[in-house]
Coordinates of all heavy atoms in Angstrom, one line a residue:
E273 N 23.3 4.8 -11.0 CA 22.0 4.2 -10.8 C 21.3 4.7 -9.6 O 20.1 4.9 -9.6 CB 22.1 2.7 -10.8 CG 22.6 2.1 -12.1 CD 22.7 0.6 -12.0 OE1 22.1 0.0 -11.1 OE2 23.4 0.1 -12.9
I274 N 22.0 4.9 -8.5 CA 21.4 5.5 -7.3 C 20.9 6.9 -7.5 O 19.8 7.2 -7.1 CB 22.4 5.4 -6.1 CG1 22.6 3.9 -5.8 CG2 21.8 6.1 -4.9 CD1 23.7 3.7 -4.7
A275 N 21.7 7.7 -8.2 CA 21.3 9.1 -8.5 C 20.0 9.1 -9.3 O 19.1 9.9 -9.1 CB 22.4 9.8 -9.1
A276 N 19.9 8.2 -10.3 CA 18.7 8.2 -11.2 C 17.5 7.7 -10.4 O 16.4 8.3 -10.5 CB 18.9 7.2 -12.3
A277 N 17.7 6.8 -9.5 CA 16.6 6.3 -8.6 C 16.1 7.4 -7.7 O 14.9 7.6 -7.5 CB 17.0 5.1 -7.8
R278 N 17.0 8.2 -7.2 CA 16.7 9.3 -6.3 C 15.9 10.4 -7.0 O 15.0 10.9 -6.5 CB 18.0 9.9 -5.7 CG 17.8 11.0 -4.7 CD 17.1 10.5 -3.5 NE 16.8 11.7 -2.6 CZ 16.0 11.7 -1.7 NH1 15.4 10.6 -1.4 NH2 15.8 12.7 -1.0
R279 N 16.3 10.6 -8.3 CA 15.6 11.6 -9.1 C 14.1 11.1 -9.3 O 13.2 11.9 -9.3 CB 16.3 11.9 -10.4 CG 17.5 12.8 -10.3 CD 18.0 13.2 -11.6 NE 18.5 12.1 -12.5 CZ 19.7 11.5 -12.5 NH1 20.6 12.0 -11.6 NH2 19.9 10.5 -13.3
Q280 N 14.0 9.8 -9.6 CA 12.6 9.3 -9.8 C 11.8 9.5 -8.5 O 10.6 9.8 -8.6 CB 12.7 7.8 -10.2 CG 13.1 7.6 -11.6 CD 13.1 6.2 -12.0 OE1 13.6 5.3 -11.2 NE2 12.6 5.9 -13.1
V281 N 12.3 9.2 -7.4 CA 11.6 9.3 -6.1 C 11.2 10.8 -5.9 O 10.1 11.1 -5.5 CB 12.4 8.8 -4.9 CG1 11.8 9.2 -3.6 CG2 12.6 7.2 -5.0
D282 N 12.2 11.7 -6.1 CA 11.9 13.1 -6.0 C 10.8 13.5 -6.9 O 9.9 14.3 -6.5 CB 13.1 13.9 -6.2 CG 14.2 13.8 -5.1 OD1 13.8 13.3 -4.0 OD2 15.3 14.2 -5.3
H283 N 10.8 13.0 -8.1 CA 9.7 13.4 -9.1 C 8.4 12.8 -8.6 O 7.4 13.6 -8.7 CB 10.1 12.8 -10.5 CG 8.9 12.9 -11.4 ND1 8.6 14.1 -12.0 CD2 8.0 12.0 -11.9 CE1 7.6 14.0 -12.8 NE2 7.2 12.7 -12.8
L284 N 8.3 11.6 -8.1 CA 7.1 11.1 -7.6 C 6.5 11.9 -6.4 O 5.3 12.2 -6.3 CB 7.3 9.6 -7.1 CG 7.5 8.6 -8.2 CD1 7.8 7.3 -7.6 CD2 6.3 8.5 -9.1
K285 N 7.4 12.4 -5.6 CA 6.9 13.2 -4.5 C 6.3 14.5 -5.0 O 5.3 15.0 -4.5 CB 8.1 13.6 -3.5 CG 8.6 12.4 -2.7 CD 9.8 12.8 -1.9 CE 10.4 11.6 -1.2 NZ 11.6 11.9 -0.4
K286 N 6.9 15.1 -6.0 CA 6.4 16.3 -6.6 C 5.0 16.0 -7.2 O 4.1 16.8 -7.1 CB 7.3 16.9 -7.7 CG 8.6 17.4 -7.1 CD 9.5 17.9 -8.1 CE 10.8 18.4 -7.5 NZ 11.8 18.9 -8.5
V287 N 4.8 14.9 -7.9 CA 3.6 14.5 -8.6 C 2.5 14.4 -7.5 O 1.4 14.9 -7.6 CB 3.7 13.3 -9.4 CG1 2.4 12.7 -9.8 CG2 4.6 13.5 -10.6
I288 N 2.8 13.7 -6.4 CA 1.9 13.4 -5.3 C 1.5 14.7 -4.6 O 0.3 15.0 -4.4 CB 2.4 12.4 -4.3 CG1 2.5 11.1 -5.0 CG2 1.5 12.3 -3.1 CD1 3.3 10.0 -4.3
A289 N 2.5 15.6 -4.4 CA 2.2 16.9 -3.8 C 1.2 17.7 -4.6 O 0.2 18.3 -4.1 CB 3.4 17.7 -3.5
A290 N 1.4 17.7 -5.9 CA 0.5 18.4 -6.8 C -0.8 17.8 -6.9 O -1.9 18.6 -6.9 CB 1.1 18.4 -8.3
A291 N -0.9 16.5 -6.8 CA -2.2 15.8 -6.7 C -3.0 16.2 -5.5 O -4.2 16.4 -5.5 CB -2.1 14.3 -6.8
F292 N -2.3 16.3 -4.3 CA -3.0 16.7 -3.1 C -3.5 18.1 -3.2 O -4.7 18.4 -2.9 CB -2.0 16.7 -1.9 CG -2.0 15.4 -1.2 CD1 -1.0 14.5 -1.3 CD2 -3.0 15.1 -0.2 CE1 -1.0 13.3 -0.6 CE2 -3.0 14.0 0.5 CZ -2.0 13.1 0.3
A293 N -2.7 19.0 -3.8 CA -3.2 20.4 -3.9 C -4.4 20.5 -4.8 O -5.3 21.2 -4.5 CB -2.0 21.2 -4.5
R294 N -4.4 19.7 -5.9 CA -5.6 19.7 -6.8 C -6.8 19.2 -6.1 O -7.9 19.8 -6.3 CB -5.3 18.9 -8.1 CG -4.4 19.6 -9.1 CD -4.4 18.8 -10.4 NE -4.0 17.4 -10.3 CZ -2.8 17.0 -10.3 NH1 -1.8 17.8 -10.4 NH2 -2.5 15.7 -10.2
Q295 N -6.7 18.1 -5.4 CA -7.8 17.5 -4.7 C -8.3 18.5 -3.6 O -9.6 18.6 -3.4 CB -7.5 16.2 -4.1 CG -7.3 15.1 -5.2 CD -8.6 14.9 -6.0 OE1 -9.7 14.8 -5.4 NE2 -8.5 14.8 -7.3
M296 N -7.4 19.1 -2.9 CA -7.8 20.0 -1.9 C -8.6 21.2 -2.5 O -9.7 21.6 -2.0 CB -6.6 20.5 -1.1 CG -6.0 19.5 -0.2 SD -4.5 20.1 0.6 CE -5.1 21.4 1.7
D297 N -8.1 21.7 -3.6 CA -8.8 22.8 -4.3 C -10.2 22.3 -4.8 O -11.2 23.0 -4.6 CB -8.0 23.3 -5.5 CG -6.9 24.2 -5.1 OD1 -6.8 24.7 -3.9 OD2 -6.0 24.4 -5.9
R298 N -10.2 21.2 -5.4 CA -11.5 20.6 -6.0 C -12.5 20.4 -4.9 O -13.7 20.6 -5.2 CB -11.2 19.3 -6.7 CG -12.4 18.7 -7.3 CD -12.0 17.4 -8.1 NE -11.2 17.8 -9.2 CZ -10.2 17.1 -9.7 NH1 -9.8 16.0 -9.1 NH2 -9.5 17.5 -10.7
H299 N -12.1 20.0 -3.7 CA -13.1 19.7 -2.7 C -13.2 20.7 -1.6 O -13.9 20.5 -0.6 CB -12.8 18.3 -2.0 CG -12.8 17.2 -3.0 ND1 -14.0 16.8 -3.5 CD2 -11.9 16.5 -3.6 CE1 -13.8 15.8 -4.4 NE2 -12.5 15.6 -4.4
G300 N -12.5 21.9 -1.8 CA -12.6 23.0 -0.8 C -12.0 22.6 0.6 O -12.5 23.1 1.6
I301 N -11.0 21.8 0.6 CA -10.4 21.4 1.8 C -9.2 22.3 2.1 O -8.3 22.5 1.3 CB -9.9 19.9 1.8 CG1 -11.1 19.0 1.6 CG2 -9.1 19.5 3.0 CD1 -10.8 17.6 1.3
T302 N -9.2 22.9 3.3 CA -8.1 23.8 3.6 C -6.9 23.1 4.2 O -7.1 21.9 4.6 CB -8.6 24.8 4.7 OG1 -9.0 24.1 5.9 CG2 -9.8 25.6 4.2
V303 N -5.8 23.8 4.3 CA -4.7 23.2 5.0 C -5.0 22.8 6.4 O -4.6 21.7 6.9 CB -3.5 24.2 4.9 CG1 -2.3 23.7 5.8 CG2 -3.0 24.3 3.5
S304 N -5.7 23.7 7.1 CA -6.1 23.4 8.5 C -7.0 22.1 8.6 O -6.8 21.3 9.5 CB -6.9 24.6 9.1 OG -6.1 25.7 9.2
E305 N -7.9 22.0 7.7 CA -8.8 20.8 7.7 C -8.0 19.5 7.4 O -8.2 18.5 8.1 CB -9.9 20.9 6.6 CG -10.8 19.7 6.5 CD -11.5 19.3 7.8 OE1 -11.8 20.1 8.6 OE2 -11.9 18.1 7.9
L306 N -7.1 19.5 6.4 CA -6.3 18.3 6.1 C -5.4 18.0 7.3 O -5.2 16.9 7.7 CB -5.5 18.5 4.9 CG -4.7 17.3 4.4 CD1 -5.6 16.1 4.2 CD2 -3.9 17.6 3.1
A307 N -4.8 19.1 7.9 CA -4.0 18.8 9.1 C -4.8 18.2 10.2 O -4.3 17.2 10.9 CB -3.4 20.2 9.6
K308 N -6.0 18.6 10.4 CA -6.9 18.0 11.4 C -7.1 16.5 11.1 O -7.1 15.7 12.0 CB -8.2 18.8 11.5 CG -9.1 18.3 12.6 CD -10.4 19.2 12.6 CE -11.4 18.7 13.6 NZ -12.6 19.5 13.6
R309 N -7.5 16.2 9.8 CA -7.7 14.9 9.4 C -6.5 14.0 9.6 O -6.6 12.8 10.0 CB -8.1 14.8 8.0 CG -9.5 15.4 7.7 CD -9.8 15.3 6.2 NE -11.0 16.0 5.8 CZ -11.6 15.8 4.7 NH1 -11.2 15.0 3.8 NH2 -12.7 16.5 4.5
L310 N -5.3 14.5 9.4 CA -4.1 13.8 9.6 C -3.6 13.7 11.0 O -2.6 13.0 11.3 CB -3.0 14.4 8.7 CG -3.2 14.2 7.2 CD1 -2.2 15.0 6.4 CD2 -3.2 12.8 6.7
G311 N -4.1 14.6 11.8 CA -3.6 14.7 13.2 C -2.2 15.3 13.3 O -1.4 14.8 14.0
T312 N -2.0 16.3 12.4 CA -0.7 16.9 12.4 C -0.8 18.4 12.3 O -2.0 18.9 12.4 CB 0.1 16.4 11.2 OG1 1.5 16.8 11.3 CG2 -0.4 16.8 9.9
S313 N 0.3 19.1 12.2 CA 0.2 20.6 12.1 C 0.0 21.1 10.7 O 0.3 20.4 9.7 CB 1.5 21.2 12.7 OG 2.6 20.8 11.8
R314 N -0.4 22.4 10.6 CA -0.5 23.0 9.3 C 0.8 23.1 8.7 O 0.9 23.0 7.4 CB -1.2 24.4 9.5 CG -2.6 24.4 9.8 CD -3.3 25.7 9.8 NE -2.4 26.8 10.3 CZ -2.5 27.3 11.5 NH1 -3.3 26.9 12.4 NH2 -1.7 28.3 11.8
A315 N 1.9 23.4 9.4 CA 3.2 23.5 8.9 C 3.6 22.1 8.2 O 4.2 22.2 7.1 CB 4.2 23.8 10.0
A316 N 3.3 21.0 8.8 CA 3.6 19.7 8.2 C 2.9 19.5 6.9 O 3.4 19.0 5.9 CB 3.3 18.6 9.2
V317 N 1.6 19.9 6.9 CA 0.8 19.8 5.6 C 1.4 20.7 4.6 O 1.6 20.3 3.4 CB -0.7 20.1 5.9 CG1 -1.4 20.2 4.5 CG2 -1.3 19.1 6.8
N318 N 1.8 22.0 4.9 CA 2.4 22.9 4.0 C 3.7 22.3 3.4 O 4.0 22.4 2.2 CB 2.7 24.2 4.6 CG 1.4 25.0 4.7 OD1 0.6 25.0 3.8 ND2 1.3 25.8 5.7
R319 N 4.5 21.6 4.2 CA 5.7 21.0 3.7 C 5.4 19.9 2.8 O 6.0 19.7 1.7 CB 6.5 20.4 4.9 CG 7.3 21.4 5.7 CD 8.3 20.8 6.7 NE 7.7 19.9 7.6 CZ 7.2 20.3 8.8 NH1 7.2 21.5 9.2 NH2 6.7 19.3 9.6
M320 N 4.3 19.1 3.1 CA 3.9 18.0 2.2 C 3.4 18.6 0.8 O 3.6 18.0 -0.2 CB 2.8 17.2 2.8 CG 2.3 16.1 2.0 SD 0.9 15.2 2.8 CE -0.4 16.5 2.7
L321 N 2.7 19.7 0.9 CA 2.2 20.3 -0.4 C 3.3 21.1 -1.2 O 3.0 21.4 -2.3 CB 1.1 21.3 0.0 CG -0.2 20.6 0.6 CD1 -1.1 21.7 1.0 CD2 -0.8 19.7 -0.4
D322 N 4.4 21.3 -0.6 CA 5.5 22.0 -1.3 C 6.2 21.1 -2.3 O 6.9 20.2 -1.9 CB 6.5 22.6 -0.3 CG 7.6 23.3 -0.9 OD1 7.7 23.4 -2.1 OD2 8.5 23.9 -0.1
E323 N 5.9 21.3 -3.6 CA 6.5 20.4 -4.6 C 8.0 20.4 -4.6 O 8.6 19.5 -5.1 CB 6.0 20.8 -6.0 CG 4.5 20.6 -6.2 CD 4.1 21.0 -7.5 OE1 4.9 20.9 -8.5 OE2 2.9 21.3 -7.7
Q324 N 8.6 21.5 -4.1 CA 10.1 21.5 -4.0 C 10.7 20.8 -2.8 O 11.9 20.6 -2.7 CB 10.5 23.0 -4.0 CG 10.1 23.8 -5.3 CD 10.4 23.1 -6.6 OE1 11.6 22.7 -6.8 NE2 9.5 22.9 -7.5
N325 N 9.8 20.5 -1.8 CA 10.3 19.9 -0.6 C 10.3 18.4 -0.8 O 9.3 17.7 -0.8 CB 9.4 20.2 0.6 CG 9.9 19.6 1.9 OD1 10.8 18.7 1.9 ND2 9.3 20.1 3.0
T326 N 11.5 17.8 -1.1 CA 11.6 16.4 -1.3 C 12.1 15.6 -0.1 O 12.4 14.5 -0.2 CB 12.5 16.1 -2.5 OG1 13.8 16.7 -2.2 CG2 11.9 16.7 -3.8
S327 N 12.0 16.3 1.1 CA 12.5 15.6 2.3 C 11.5 14.7 2.9 O 11.9 13.9 3.8 CB 13.0 16.7 3.3 OG 11.8 17.4 3.8
L328 N 10.3 14.8 2.5 CA 9.2 13.9 3.1 C 9.4 12.5 2.5 O 9.8 12.4 1.4 CB 7.8 14.5 2.8 CG 7.5 15.7 3.4 CD1 6.1 16.2 2.9 CD2 7.4 15.6 4.9
T329 N 9.1 11.6 3.3 CA 9.1 10.2 2.8 C 7.9 9.8 2.1 O 6.8 10.4 2.3 CB 9.3 9.2 4.0 OG1 8.2 9.2 4.8 CG2 10.6 9.5 4.8
L330 N 8.0 8.8 1.2 CA 6.8 8.3 0.5 C 5.9 7.7 1.5 O 4.7 7.7 1.3 CB 7.2 7.3 -0.6 CG 7.9 8.0 -1.8 CD1 8.4 6.9 -2.8 CD2 7.0 9.0 -2.5
N331 N 6.4 7.2 2.6 CA 5.5 6.6 3.6 C 4.6 7.7 4.2 O 3.4 7.4 4.4 CB 6.4 6.0 4.7 CG 5.6 5.3 5.8 OD1 4.7 4.6 5.5 ND2 6.0 5.5 7.0
T332 N 5.1 8.8 4.5 CA 4.3 9.9 5.0 C 3.3 10.3 4.0 O 2.1 10.5 4.3 CB 5.2 11.1 5.3 OG1 6.2 10.7 6.3 CG2 4.4 12.3 5.8
L333 N 3.6 10.5 2.7 CA 2.7 10.8 1.7 C 1.6 9.8 1.5 O 0.4 10.1 1.3 CB 3.4 11.1 0.4 CG 4.3 12.3 0.4 CD1 5.2 12.4 -0.9 CD2 3.5 13.6 0.5
S334 N 2.0 8.5 1.6 CA 1.1 7.4 1.5 C 0.0 7.5 2.6 O -1.2 7.3 2.4 CB 1.8 6.1 1.5 OG 0.9 5.0 1.5
R335 N 0.5 7.7 3.8 CA -0.4 7.8 5.0 C -1.4 8.9 4.8 O -2.6 8.8 5.1 CB 0.4 8.0 6.3 CG -0.4 8.0 7.5 CD 0.4 8.2 8.8 NE -0.3 9.3 9.4 CZ 0.2 10.5 9.7 NH1 1.5 10.8 9.4 NH2 -0.5 11.5 10.3
A336 N -0.9 10.1 4.3 CA -1.7 11.2 4.1 C -2.8 10.9 3.0 O -4.0 11.2 3.1 CB -0.9 12.4 3.7
A337 N -2.4 10.2 2.0 CA -3.3 9.8 0.9 C -4.4 8.9 1.4 O -5.5 8.9 0.9 CB -2.5 9.2 -0.3
S338 N -4.1 8.1 2.4 CA -5.1 7.1 2.8 C -6.2 7.8 3.6 O -7.3 7.2 3.9 CB -4.4 6.0 3.7 OG -4.0 6.6 4.9
V339 N -6.0 9.0 4.1 CA -7.1 9.8 4.8 C -8.3 10.0 3.9 O -9.4 9.8 4.3 CB -6.5 11.1 5.3 CG1 -7.6 12.0 5.8 CG2 -5.5 10.9 6.3
G340 N -8.0 10.2 2.6 CA -9.1 10.3 1.7 C -9.7 11.7 1.5 O -9.6 12.6 2.4
F341 N -10.4 11.8 0.4 CA -11.2 13.0 0.1 C -12.6 12.6 -0.1 O -12.9 11.4 -0.1 CB -10.6 13.6 -1.2 CG -9.2 14.2 -0.9 CD1 -8.1 13.5 -1.2 CD2 -9.1 15.5 -0.5 CE1 -6.8 14.0 -0.9 CE2 -7.8 16.1 -0.2 CZ -6.7 15.3 -0.4
P342 N -13.5 13.5 -0.3 CA -14.9 13.1 -0.4 C -15.2 12.1 -1.5 O -16.1 11.3 -1.4 CB -15.6 14.5 -0.8 CG -14.8 15.5 -0.1 CD -13.4 15.0 -0.2
A343 N -14.4 12.0 -2.5 CA -14.5 11.1 -3.6 C -13.8 9.8 -3.3 O -13.7 8.8 -4.1 CB -14.0 11.6 -4.9
G344 N -13.1 9.7 -2.1 CA -12.4 8.5 -1.8 C -10.9 8.8 -1.6 O -10.5 10.0 -1.7
P345 N -10.1 7.8 -1.5 CA -8.6 8.0 -1.3 C -8.0 8.7 -2.5 O -8.6 8.6 -3.6 CB -8.1 6.6 -1.1 CG -9.2 5.8 -0.7 CD -10.4 6.4 -1.3
L346 N -7.0 9.4 -2.3 CA -6.3 10.1 -3.4 C -5.8 9.1 -4.4 O -5.1 8.1 -4.1 CB -5.1 10.9 -2.8 CG -4.2 11.7 -3.8 CD1 -5.0 12.9 -4.2 CD2 -3.0 12.1 -3.1
A347 N -6.0 9.4 -5.6 CA -5.5 8.6 -6.7 C -4.6 9.4 -7.6 O -4.9 10.5 -7.9 CB -6.7 8.1 -7.6
V348 N -3.4 8.9 -7.9 CA -2.4 9.6 -8.6 C -2.0 8.8 -9.8 O -1.7 7.6 -9.7 CB -1.1 9.8 -7.7 CG1 -0.1 10.6 -8.5 CG2 -1.5 10.6 -6.4
N349 N -2.0 9.5 -11.0 CA -1.5 8.9 -12.2 C 0.0 9.1 -12.3 O 0.4 10.3 -12.4 CB -2.2 9.5 -13.4 CG -1.8 8.8 -14.7 OD1 -0.9 8.0 -14.7 ND2 -2.4 9.3 -15.8
L350 N 0.8 8.1 -12.2 CA 2.3 8.2 -12.2 C 2.9 8.2 -13.6 O 4.1 8.2 -13.7 CB 2.9 7.2 -11.3 CG 2.4 7.3 -9.8 CD1 3.0 6.1 -9.0 CD2 2.7 8.6 -9.2
E351 N 2.1 8.1 -14.6 CA 2.6 8.0 -15.9 C 2.9 9.4 -16.5 O 2.4 10.4 -16.2 CB 1.7 7.3 -16.8 CG 1.5 5.8 -16.4 CD 0.6 5.1 -17.2 OE1 0.3 5.5 -18.4 OE2 0.0 4.1 -16.8

């Protein structure tokens, strides 16, 4: 059961990372700009955008999502 839960969390991180990348493309936001909005480094944003990097916490991704895009906060369909 723990392994299954871990797989679900890893999947959610991948979905969220892909959603960030789509929104950045859609609104012309660069890695540098998102890093500036988050008050972090470009390397940290690149790790967040890496769908294979599951080491980030959902808390970090949630904080990043709250920064928002021109259309408002990031919305992710988890279905």
Side-chain angles (χ1 to χ4, degrees):
E273 291 181 19
I274 292 174
R278 182 66 185 163
R279 283 191 300 275
Q280 285 182 317
V281 169
D282 289 348
H283 173 72
L284 289 175
K285 290 177 186 177
K286 289 177 183 181
V287 169
I288 293 168
F292 266 104
R294 282 192 304 275
Q295 289 298 316
M296 288 174 68
D297 285 345
R298 182 175 292 139
H299 297 291
I301 297 171
T302 65
V303 170
S304 294
E305 174 62 24
L306 186 57
K308 183 177 176 182
R309 291 181 186 194
L310 293 173
T312 192
S313 68
R314 290 188 322 262
V317 172
N318 282 324
R319 285 191 302 272
M320 183 183 69
L321 294 173
D322 180 356
E323 293 181 27
Q324 301 306 312
N325 183 347
T326 58
S327 66
L328 292 173
T329 66
L330 289 176
N331 184 43
T332 299
L333 293 171
S334 174
R335 187 181 124 241
S338 71
V339 169
F341 290 93
L346 181 70
V348 178
N349 181 359
L350 300 177
E351 296 179 23

